[in-house]
């Protein structure tokens, strides 16, 4: 059994352990509990399509399909339109620079990157919730207006992190007329430009992270050659010193702090 399967099983068991007693208690309070049965009742859900002559029915079906499509693309939106790309790449470089192979494990890096993304994107998500989600749920605005209001904070965040050169590249490739304002820039050109800018920034940070560990590797290799121990891999000797240096300078605090501040 893999670690991912074990994690899913743990979450499922935890959900059952939490919600099952609540459901049983609610069923008993309503007088619907029958001895010898679980007392757990689930609501029925059905989806059917019938013949209709009303255009409004077709529009409602298309809206449901579009919402399901957006939910399917939610992981891609989280990865490509937030700070997740830069964070996960930089943390991967940290592990490679230390030379610790699979430590920290991939699950830990992905989880830390995800929660740091929520931390960095908290003001943006709050603006989306206040201006788009809550008014839409309260039926104060329609779906189109909610989409436009939800898109605006994300575009503002991406514009702040996107280089003009990268944005100009995709605007040129799209063969569209040169936009006069940011509002005229299409989102389908902004997103890839933002991703390329994030990758470039992450690789620049990764290069700066490699330098002190590279110097330490060179020093250890020179000392081993001077001592005539050329058959001993320098990485075996330099790894404890890398870990010691990383702990002494409080590396995680410096890296995470600088990484979060880079989005300011």
């Amino acid at each position: 059994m893999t670690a991912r399967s074990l994690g899913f099983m743990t979450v499922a068991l935890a959900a059952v352990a939490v919600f099952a007693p609540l459901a049983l208690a609610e069923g008993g309070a309503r007088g619907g509990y029958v001895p010898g049965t679980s007392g757990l009742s689930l609501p029925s859900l059905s989806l059917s399509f019938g013949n209709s002559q009303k255009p409004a029915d077709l529009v409602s079906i298309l809206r449901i399909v579009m919402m399901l499509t957006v939910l399917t693309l939610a992981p891609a939106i989280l990865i490509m339109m937030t700070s997740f790309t830069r964070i996960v790449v930089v943390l991967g470089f940290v592990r490679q620079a230390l030379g610790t192979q699979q430590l920290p494990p991939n699950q830990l890096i992905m989880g830390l990157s995800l929660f740091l993304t929520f931390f960095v994107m908290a003001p943006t998500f709050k603006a989306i919730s206040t201006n788009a989600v809550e008014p839409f749920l309260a039926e104060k605005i329609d779906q189109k207006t909610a989409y436009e209001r939800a898109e605006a904070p994300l575009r503002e965040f991406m514009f702040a992190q996107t280089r003009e050169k990268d944005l100009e590249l995709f605007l040129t490739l799209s063969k569209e007329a040169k936009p006069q304002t940011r509002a005229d820039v299409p989102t389908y050109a902004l997103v890839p430009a933002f991703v390329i800018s994030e990758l470039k920034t992450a690789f620049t940070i990764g290069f700066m992270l490699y330098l002190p560990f590279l110097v330490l590797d060179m020093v250890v290799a020179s000392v081993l050659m001077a001592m005539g121990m050329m058959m001993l891999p320098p990485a075996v000797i330099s790894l404890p010193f890398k870990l010691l240096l990383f702990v002494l300078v409080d590396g995680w605090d410096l890296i995470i702090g600088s990484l979060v501040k880079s989005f300011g």
Side-chain angles (χ1 to χ4, degrees), residues 28-47:
R30 293 179 179 179
Y33 176 74
V34 178
T37 63
S38 61
L40 178 62
S41 60
L42 297 177
S44 61
L45 177 63
S46 63
L47 179 62

Side-chain angles (χ1 to χ4, degrees), residues 49-100:
F49 299 94
N51 295 327
S52 176
Q53 302 299 328
K54 298 180 181 179
D57 295 339
L58 179 60
V59 173
S60 300
I61 294 174
L62 292 178
R63 287 181 177 178
I64 294 175
V65 173
M66 292 177 62
M67 292 180 63
L68 293 177
T69 303
V70 172
L71 292 176
T72 304
L73 298 176
I77 294 175
L78 178 63
I79 294 175
M80 297 298 178
M81 300 177 66
T82 64
S83 58
F84 183 85
T85 300
R86 183 190 305 186
I87 294 173
V88 73
V89 172
V90 170
L91 293 182
F93 274 128
V94 172
R95 183 174 65 181
Q96 293 184 8
L98 287 172
T100 54

Side-chain angles (χ1 to χ4, degrees), residues 67-238:
M67 292 180 63
L68 293 177
T69 303
V70 172
L71 292 176
T72 304
L73 298 176
I77 294 175
L78 178 63
I79 294 175
M80 297 298 178
M81 300 177 66
T82 64
S83 58
F84 183 85
T85 300
R86 183 190 305 186
I87 294 173
V88 73
V89 172
V90 170
L91 293 182
F93 274 128
V94 172
R95 183 174 65 181
Q96 293 184 8
L98 287 172
T100 54
Q101 302 300 325
Q102 297 299 323
L103 295 175
N106 290 329
Q107 292 85 348
L108 181 58
I109 290 181
M110 296 295 291
L112 180 59
S113 301
L114 185 62
F115 280 101
L116 287 176
T117 299
F118 289 150
F119 180 82
V120 173
M121 300 297 297
T124 303
F125 292 158
K126 184 178 180 180
I128 294 175
S129 177
T130 303
N131 300 327
V133 177
E134 293 180 0
F136 178 72
L137 295 179
E139 299 182 355
K140 296 181 179 179
I141 58 176
D142 56 7
Q143 187 175 359
K144 181 180 179 181
T145 304
Y147 173 78
E148 294 175 351
R149 291 186 180 182
E151 186 183 26
L154 283 177
R155 285 173 57 90
E156 182 179 356
F157 173 80
M158 289 189 289
F159 271 120
Q161 308 300 328
T162 304
R163 292 178 173 85
E164 294 184 2
K165 181 179 179 181
D166 297 329
L167 184 58
E168 183 179 358
L169 170 63
F170 285 96
L171 291 176
T172 303
L173 293 176
S174 65
K175 298 181 181 180
E176 296 285 346
K178 184 177 181 180
Q180 301 298 324
T181 61
R182 286 187 172 184
D184 299 331
V185 177
T187 304
Y188 65 82
L190 176 60
V191 172
F194 167 74
V195 174
I196 289 181
S197 297
E198 287 293 279
L199 288 175
K200 184 176 182 179
T201 303
F203 274 66
T204 303
I205 298 175
F207 171 75
M208 301 301 295
L209 289 173
Y210 259 96
L211 287 181
F213 299 111
L214 179 61
V215 172
L216 185 57
D217 283 333
M218 294 176 63
V219 171
V220 172
S222 300
V223 172
L224 292 177
M225 291 183 64
M227 298 176 62
M229 295 186 295
M230 293 179 291
M231 299 301 294
L232 183 63
V236 177
I237 306 299
S238 63

